Amino acid sequence: MSAETVVSFKDVDVVFKEKKKEAVHAVDHVSLDVQRGDIYGIVGYSGAGKSTLVRIINLLQRPTSGSVTVLGDDMASLSAGQLRDKRRKIGMIFQHFNLMGSRTIADNIGFPLRGIKSKAEIKAKVDELLDLVGLSDRADAYPAELSGGQKQRVGIARALASDPELLISDEATSALDPKTTASILNLLKELNEKLGLTIVLITHQMEAVKQICSRVAVMDGGAVIERGSLLDIFAHPQQQLTKDFIDTTMQLDATLDTIAKQPAVQHLSDTERLIRLTYLGDTTDQPIIATLLREYHVVANILFADIQSLQDTPFGNLIIIVTGDSDNIDAALKYLSDSGVNVQPVTIPGGAK
Ligand SMILES: Nc1ncnc2c1ncn2[C@@H]1O[C@H](COP(=O)(O)OP(=O)(O)OP(=O)(O)O)[C@@H](O)[C@H]1O
Ligand SMILES: [Mg+2]
């Protein structure tokens, strides 16, 4: 049985056309499905069209063409009243929190329920939400008295006030330091697991995607240029942009700079090659380095090694110099490929091959 589709974009296009200005193709023929329970990461640089795309979900942005279906309904077909009800099923959190400074934390969180629920019901819900985000003792504080991380917790609680089935997070951690970012991401993951909340997470930080997303789409120039499960995308990225985003999660640029300065790398001989290996999962347990030597008489010198965890699956990155007879190296690299290891030659700018 297929999972339930929460959001479905069908060939969605958004073109902004202002007088005397060139038209901007902000969203370029995007078709994309988000299933219940997904934490779907949408990653891309500034201007890629991420915010415009997700604003289409609740019809804050109308598509120029194409359609979006949310929880079974084509959004364009809804009456004003139906649209209002549907929007309650879609929570949103933002980079700058958008809290009301003159109201207490409790009032901010309960605000979306005013006029819909009784005072007592609102109080009970707010208490529950404060507890859920770990701010029970700050109910009567004002936003200015909270840290950035705490403000975002309030933003999350407010977004959950109407029991949404979908939460859209638009750069919600971009203004936070790494440690606070991690704690907010952990909270989102917890809400996903505890409440079955489906989450669309927009970010330019692949690190955030890596931490909690189950699926990821990469956007560039309005289009989705690559998509897949988190593990697939990390194990077999196809587009250069996707590879670049993945590399940011292990500070590869800085690593290569350091490696490039090593004499061993600057003076590679004909029997040496600089290689990058990436692998996912079980491969990690295989004694590949030992096998290179035993079976292929190729010596591997490890310059850099990094193993991260992706949804509890090890994801390894190695940069090595292999030394040996050229034919043996070729055979050894083929063995690695056949074992599921990604093998790429590394070029050092200004250095040897
Ligand atoms: N209301 C608008 N009118 C005209 N152009 C717009 C409008 N909103 C967005 N754009 C343009 O559409 C493109 C996509 O913008 P969008 O805000 O969706 O990108 P983004 O990926 O969210 O970027 P960021 O990471 O900076 O938030 C940009 O070129 C932007 O200038
Ligand atoms: Mg944006």
Side-chain angles (χ1 to χ4, degrees):
M1 212 173 74
S2 73
E4 187 195 342
T5 304
V6 175
V7 182
S8 179
F9 295 97
K10 292 243 159 41
D11 206 19
V12 168
D13 229 37
V14 177
V15 179
F16 291 113
K17 180 79 191 102
E18 287 169 53
K19 275 183 205 150
K20 293 187 188 154
K21 281 198 191 155
E22 242 180 81
V24 176
H25 208 156
V27 175
D28 190 356
H29 293 93
V30 170
S31 295
L32 188 102
D33 285 351
V34 179
Q35 309 293 347
R36 187 174 292 279
D38 276 348
I39 302 183
Y40 207 126
I42 298 180
V43 66
Y45 287 124
S46 187
K50 308 178 296 294
S51 295
T52 307
L53 181 70
V54 294
R55 283 164 56 81
I56 294 169
I57 297 176
N58 46 23
L59 235 51
L60 289 175
Q61 172 66 53
R62 296 214 169 236
T64 310
S65 65
S67 67
V68 63
T69 303
V70 179
L71 298 163
D73 292 308
D74 181 346
M75 293 299 276
S77 74
L78 300 181
S79 68
Q82 289 171 325
L83 182 59
R84 206 165 43 238
D85 288 345
K86 186 69 83 175
R87 280 179 175 158
R88 290 203 191 99
K89 297 279 151 214
I90 308 167
M92 261 192 118
I93 54 175
F94 308 92
Q95 180 172 358
H96 297 298
F97 324 122
N98 302 358
L99 303 180
M100 294 174 290
S102 62
R103 289 177 193 269
T104 64
I105 298 316
D107 284 347
N108 266 279
I109 295 173
F111 195 79
L113 299 178
R114 286 183 1 151
I116 300 172
K117 300 235 156 139
S118 73
K119 264 194 167 166
E121 284 172 323
I122 294 178
K123 168 141 189 8
K125 187 71 190 176
V126 168
D127 285 348
E128 177 197 322
L129 289 165
L130 280 167
D131 185 45
L132 194 63
V133 301
L135 286 178
S136 293
D137 53 341
R138 306 311 305 270
D140 299 323
Y142 287 87
E145 301 171 82
L146 301 189
S147 69
Q150 290 173 324
K151 282 182 203 162
Q152 195 54 285
R153 285 172 186 267
V154 177
I156 291 169
R158 182 189 50 191
L160 297 180
S162 53
D163 295 316
E165 295 181 43
L166 173 69
L167 179 71
I168 299 170
S169 166
D170 192 348
E171 300 284 4
T173 59
S174 295
L176 305 175
D177 63 67
K179 205 171 146 205
T180 311
T181 293
S183 82
I184 293 293
L185 292 172
N186 278 338
L187 174 61
L188 293 178
K189 177 91 187 143
E190 227 177 271
L191 296 172
N192 165 258
E193 286 167 358
K194 237 196 234 171
L195 311 175
L197 186 68
T198 305
I199 299 176
V200 174
L201 186 102
I202 299 187
T203 181
H204 57 267
Q205 299 165 318
M206 196 61 159
E207 185 62 36
V209 170
K210 189 192 108 191
Q211 243 185 69
I212 63 165
C213 290
S214 49
R215 302 192 68 78
V216 49
V218 181
M219 280 190 85
D220 188 25
V224 170
I225 59 164
E226 189 161 2
R227 73 185 76 197
S229 73
L230 182 79
L231 294 182
D232 262 358
I233 291 287
F234 269 76
H236 309 289
Q238 303 297 314
Q239 304 290 331
Q240 188 56 46
L241 181 62
T242 311
K243 293 176 188 170
D244 291 347
F245 270 118
I246 291 171
D247 287 350
T248 62
T249 66
M250 50 205 151
Q251 284 87 43
L252 196 77
D253 283 351
T255 302
L256 284 176
D257 282 351
T258 310
I259 285 176
K261 290 185 191 122
Q262 298 187 15
V265 172
Q266 290 187 333
H267 307 289
L268 288 178
S269 74
D270 288 344
T271 58
E272 295 174 319
R273 280 187 232 169
L274 186 60
I275 307 282
R276 176 172 173 199
L277 308 178
T278 48
Y279 53 83
L280 192 69
D282 296 342
T283 321
T284 325
D285 304 330
Q286 292 180 25
I288 50 178
I289 301 294
T291 307
L292 293 191
L293 183 59
R294 198 177 56 236
E295 306 283 332
Y296 301 95
H297 313 291
V298 167
V299 175
N301 175 17
I302 300 176
L303 303 180
F304 168 78
D306 176 58
I307 298 182
Q308 329 185 357
S309 171
L310 291 178
Q311 296 181 325
D312 300 326
T313 302
F315 173 59
N317 270 274
L318 293 180
I319 296 179
I320 61 178
I321 295 179
V322 285
T323 309
D325 178 88
S326 185
D327 288 347
N328 286 349
I329 292 180
D330 285 343
L333 297 184
K334 181 169 184 313
Y335 150 75
L336 289 174
S337 281
D338 292 347
S339 312
V341 176
N342 253 316
V343 180
Q344 290 168 267
V346 177
T347 323
I348 296 288
K353 36 195 156 167

